[in-house]
Amino acid sequence: MARKTPGLDDAPSGSADDSGSETVGRRSYLKLAGAAAAALGTTAGVSSAAPDGVTDGMDVIELDYAQYGSPSQVYNVNDNRSGIPPEFVSSPTNGTQTALRTEFSGAQKTANLEYRFEENGYDRPSEVYTRFDLYPDGIRLGTNDTVRIFWLPLTNGAGSSGGGATDGTNGWSNAIGFAHRNDSPAPNGYNFFSYSYHMDRDGSGDFEMTSTPIWMDQWNEIEGYVRCNTFSNGQANRDGVMRYWINGELAYERTNFRMTTTESNLIEGVGPLGYVVGSNLSGSALIYDNHEIAIGGIPEGRDDTPPYDEDPTLVEPGQRDQYDERLTYRNGDREAEYRIYVDGEIVQSDWSQATYNETVDIATDEYAVVDAVAAPGTVDGYFFDGEIVAISADPEPSALWVSGERLDPSDYPDEPADSGEAAGEEPLENVILVDGLGTLRTSRYEFEVGGDVAKAAYGGASINAGDRIDAGHVIGSVAGWRDAFRFSGDLEQLTVDGPARVLVNGEPVDPADYGDDLPHILTIVGNGSESSYEVAVDGTIDTMVGDASEAEANLLSDSVASGSIETGVHRFRFSGELADFTFISGGTQVYVGDQRIDPDDYNDGVVLPHAIVIDGTEAEGPSDYSFAIDGDVIKSSYRDATLEPTDAVEGASVEGVVREDELDAYWFDGNIADFTLAGDAGVDIYRNVRDVDE
């Protein structure tokens, strides 16, 4: 008999005021509810106890592997690429007679093992909690290797894997696992990640690392909760929820997913998954025990739902569309006190990775004023209308974001300009207007002044959170709008990349009259060992005249360069900001100006994942080639390929010649739309060399 699908408007069940400070025991709360037992009858392997702590209307399923002859009697077993079938074993187990073992062969996927709800007498639910114990047996990963361990959940379809677009009707998924990244405590443990296909992702799956470890060669408790987004008239709201706990610790949470637009695309199933990207794991295995599922809510002791009905300044993520802007306050590793002034309305919400902060106090007078204390490593979230006019924080946050744009707290006074000490500051006598009205593409600008500078609503200009001010140095962009700033002193440097025009005190100016077009210097210092790198800026980059970079580095585009260095230095001039710095191999010292930087701070992990290599090492002469990509493409030194300046990359199209005994290589994402080759060179395509994909 099929169950009624839990309503999408229902809040998660359980205790709303649980602090989550106590770890729930492995088997203290998940026993089969009476309703589930009645529907399933007395199917072997499904417990029939109805315990305390199970919310009314929740179906809870506990799978006892000892009651089955093979894994295929529990799960839909499919896509076994290793050739080694999953099996039940008697050791190791975690308090039971039988555990489930899936063994790797090389770098192949073991199998999907899906507990499909409709095949077990349920409708597709909108809300599922599951837990299991995991023993990673003999697994050792190389740097950046990943292992996926579980589908939570999987709704099969073209939009659930393999790079397909997720449109709300054709499947979606979330695979969880561990990876050798984020300072993993390797080889004893590797950090947890979430990898999801949802409606708002770009390219392949949405890969999100955490710093919470899963330990090797011992039992770990993994818990997860997923609630589908609400929807109406085929439109999905941004209020889908995913939460994961590792060994009792909340490791990951997002509350803004869009997965589905229809009830036929709700949760199809959950279950084990073994998928390695990277190392050869032959002989290693993933072992599972105590797999338990709750349909329709979170068991008591695991419900961290904020008290929406009790706090008038707190709103659910689904109310986001009622406000113009969203704010994320990510705290550092120390407790912080902060205050935010808004000339409009502001409310707290646990959207995205934000969690409820009970210390938040919001007062409304001339401004809406937020006062809060942020615990170490926490994230606070807000929706607001109007503009932020002042921010004070001690210590400053590790990151502050407004509607997707990173914001620098130092750009704002501690108090509004018409109050306190700010009212006594010397006025800024000059104004610079960057005018993008009527232009068809983005213009990036950068300037320096000899005094102070502040954003201004002059001449119809908008005040954009993404425009950055560091002392008298400003970086921003316009596209069909105007930005303005008031400043003191003289305009000393000005660079504009794009069609926008600039006026100072109402008079048009030529950026070429103000200092160097490429005002910043990037320096890579060799340390005796070969290091290969790629660098990208959000302006323009060029080698320096007379420097080794002229002969030894390569300009892949106006904003991207690459090279290999062993000794000496490579120097580049650039405008804008350093957007990305990636060591493809090795690692050494990097400087911007006279300040040493950590390249990891400029590498968000979003790199082109695939490689194509045109191999002339066994050819009898040069080979001409051309190809087109339906994504992005840049030259690469992968597999020690040469970087020929005559090989041309124009947008997503490539033309080149590979000589005999040489290799040409390119990084790309997406798919190869067209390829031609004149000659006998070989062509090799490597998928997911530098990232995770299905």
Side-chain angles (χ1 to χ4, degrees):
M1 181 177 69
R3 270 62 165 187
K4 177 181 180 293
T5 302
L8 285 175
D9 292 329
D10 295 341
S13 303
S15 173
D17 58 356
D18 179 40
S19 65
S21 61
E22 297 181 359
T23 300
V24 179
R26 277 192 175 87
R27 304 175 63 81
S28 62
Y29 49 80
L30 282 177
K31 304 292 183 184
L32 185 67
L40 291 175
T42 57
T43 303
V46 179
S47 170
S48 59
D52 296 334
V54 173
T55 304
D56 290 344
M58 184 189 302
D59 291 331
V60 184
I61 306 162
E62 179 179 308
L63 301 176
D64 183 358
Y65 293 148
Q67 301 300 314
Y68 296 91
S70 71
S72 62
Q73 292 178 312
V74 187
Y75 302 105
N76 185 310
V77 181
N78 61 80
D79 199 16
N80 185 342
R81 305 180 196 176
S82 70
I84 302 174
E87 62 177 344
F88 289 138
V89 296
S90 59
S91 179
T93 64
N94 195 30
T96 65
Q97 296 179 351
T98 305
L100 170 68
R101 176 184 173 90
T102 63
E103 183 174 333
F104 290 99
S105 174
Q108 291 293 329
K109 184 176 184 179
T110 61
N112 291 336
L113 293 94
E114 304 166 25
Y115 186 91
R116 294 183 176 176
F117 294 112
E118 291 175 309
E119 294 177 8
N120 287 277
Y122 296 88
D123 288 339
R124 291 192 180 190
S126 65
E127 187 175 11
V128 170
Y129 167 97
T130 194
R131 68 159 308 283
F132 59 94
D133 297 325
L134 177 73
Y135 189 105
D137 186 11
I139 293 176
R140 296 295 181 268
L141 299 182
T143 302
N144 292 327
D145 288 354
T146 66
V147 173
R148 285 173 246 178
I149 61 175
F150 207 86
W151 291 114
L152 184 57
L154 173 65
T155 299
N156 286 286
S160 66
S161 64
T166 307
D167 64 14
T169 66
N170 64 344
W172 54 284
S173 69
N174 195 64
I176 59 175
F178 52 83
H180 192 346
R181 303 185 190 181
N182 281 27
D183 297 323
S184 292
N188 297 320
Y190 302 104
N191 289 335
F192 174 81
F193 69 79
S194 166
Y195 181 65
S196 51
Y197 275 71
H198 58 87
M199 294 173 64
D200 297 308
R201 66 187 174 86
D202 292 322
S204 59
D206 196 351
F207 184 79
E208 298 177 274
M209 281 298 306
T210 75
S211 296
T212 302
I214 293 177
W215 303 106
M216 302 297 102
D217 302 312
Q218 67 183 60
W219 287 106
N220 298 263
E221 183 185 37
I222 316 293
E223 301 169 87
Y225 169 72
V226 176
R227 187 175 79 231
C228 293
N229 59 273
T230 59
F231 54 84
S232 60
N233 299 321
Q235 298 296 314
N237 298 315
R238 299 179 189 276
D239 56 5
V241 175
M242 291 185 189
R243 296 189 183 107
Y244 297 110
W245 297 265
I246 308 299
N247 296 315
E249 175 185 349
L250 181 64
Y252 173 91
E253 181 178 48
R254 274 183 64 178
T255 58
N256 67 340
F257 278 107
R258 296 195 309 150
M259 309 99 155
T260 183
T261 60
T262 172
E263 290 190 4
S264 63
N265 197 46
L266 299 180
I267 300 170
E268 180 178 353
V270 299
L273 159 71
Y275 193 140
V276 58
V277 178
S279 296
N280 183 332
L281 294 185
S282 291
S284 300
L286 296 169
I287 303 172
Y288 302 83
D289 206 348
N290 296 310
H291 182 192
E292 299 158 331
I293 305 167
I295 299 174
I298 303 178
E300 187 175 338
R302 267 293 176 255
D303 186 5
D304 296 333
T305 304
Y308 298 115
D309 295 335
E310 301 172 17
D311 187 339
T313 66
L314 175 69
V315 303
E316 298 187 55
Q319 297 187 34
R320 167 180 170 175
D321 291 343
Q322 300 178 24
Y323 299 87
D324 294 335
E325 308 283 355
R326 58 193 189 276
L327 168 68
T328 302
Y329 187 103
R330 185 178 294 276
N331 195 29
D333 57 5
R334 291 192 293 147
E335 182 178 272
E337 296 184 13
Y338 66 88
R339 175 175 290 180
I340 300 172
Y341 294 82
V342 175
D343 63 350
E345 180 185 4
I346 188 168
V347 293
Q348 186 189 178
S349 181
D350 60 327
W351 76 282
S352 187
Q353 296 187 35
T355 55
Y356 175 59
N357 183 346
E358 63 182 9
T359 73
V360 169
D361 179 71
I362 300 177
T364 302
D365 191 5
E366 182 179 0
Y367 299 99
V369 182
V370 176
D371 282 295
V373 177
T378 56
V379 179
D380 294 346
Y382 300 90
F383 301 143
F384 69 96
D385 295 325
E387 299 284 347
I388 295 174
V389 296
I391 301 172
S392 63
D394 183 22
E396 287 192 350
S398 64
L400 196 64
W401 297 82
V402 170
S403 299
E405 298 289 340
R406 190 157 185 168
L407 186 131
D408 187 347
S410 65
D411 291 350
Y412 292 83
D414 290 344
E415 296 180 335
D418 54 358
S419 66
E421 297 179 2
E425 293 176 356
E426 183 179 351
L428 306 176
E429 65 273 19
N430 301 311
V431 62
I432 181 171
L433 176 70
V434 185
D435 187 0
L437 290 178
T439 60
L440 298 178
R441 63 185 179 92
T442 299
S443 297
R444 294 179 174 86
Y445 61 84
E446 182 173 6
F447 65 87
E448 293 183 16
V449 300
D452 296 324
V453 63
K455 300 174 184 179
Y458 169 87
S462 59
I463 295 180
N464 297 310
D467 299 336
R468 302 188 61 185
I469 299 176
D470 183 6
H473 182 201
V474 178
I475 297 174
S477 63
V478 293
W481 64 83
R482 291 172 169 172
D483 286 351
F485 303 83
R486 294 192 180 276
F487 67 95
S488 59
D490 295 326
L491 178 62
E492 298 177 349
Q493 297 272 358
L494 174 62
T495 298
V496 179
D497 182 9
R501 64 186 188 127
V502 180
L503 297 89
V504 175
N505 296 329
E507 296 295 327
V509 298
D510 184 351
D513 295 338
Y514 294 88
D516 196 331
D517 285 343
L518 303 176
H520 310 306
I521 297 177
L522 173 73
T523 305
I524 300 102
V525 181
N527 61 8
S529 299
E530 185 175 19
S531 298
S532 297
Y533 61 85
E534 290 178 2
V535 56
V537 301
D538 63 4
T540 302
I541 191 168
D542 200 356
T543 56
M544 290 183 64
V545 176
D547 186 76
S549 62
E550 276 194 307
E552 298 175 10
N554 298 274
L555 297 174
L556 307 182
S557 70
D558 288 343
S559 60
V560 180
S562 70
S564 294
I565 187 170
E566 186 170 345
T567 59
V569 296
H570 288 179
R571 295 186 178 91
F572 301 85
R573 289 191 179 277
F574 70 96
S575 63
E577 290 189 297
L578 182 62
D580 183 89
F581 195 104
T582 301
F583 278 113
I584 306 305
S585 63
T588 187
Q589 298 180 22
V590 181
Y591 293 81
V592 173
D594 60 357
Q595 298 295 313
R596 183 175 176 180
I597 67 167
D598 182 352
D600 288 343
D601 293 340
Y602 296 86
N603 182 356
D604 61 7
V606 180
V607 295
L608 304 185
H610 315 311
I612 180 171
V613 176
I614 298 90
D615 187 350
T617 56
E618 296 182 7
E620 295 183 357
S623 298
D624 295 288
Y625 60 89
S626 64
F627 61 94
I629 302 292
D630 63 3
D632 294 323
V633 60
I634 62 173
K635 295 179 183 179
S636 169
S637 58
Y638 181 59
R639 287 183 52 192
D640 297 323
T642 58
L643 291 162
E644 295 288 349
T646 55
D647 298 335
V649 178
E650 295 291 337
S653 298
V654 177
E655 292 185 358
V657 179
V658 62
R659 296 176 175 83
E660 56 184 308
D661 299 323
E662 292 185 355
L663 300 172
D664 284 358
Y666 300 84
W667 296 121
F668 72 99
D669 63 3
N671 296 298
I672 298 173
D674 182 56
F675 191 95
T676 60
L677 177 70
D680 58 349
V683 180
D684 298 313
I685 297 172
Y686 300 85
R687 288 278 176 179
N688 303 311
V689 178
R690 301 196 295 175
D691 201 359
V692 179
D693 197 9
E694 279 294 331

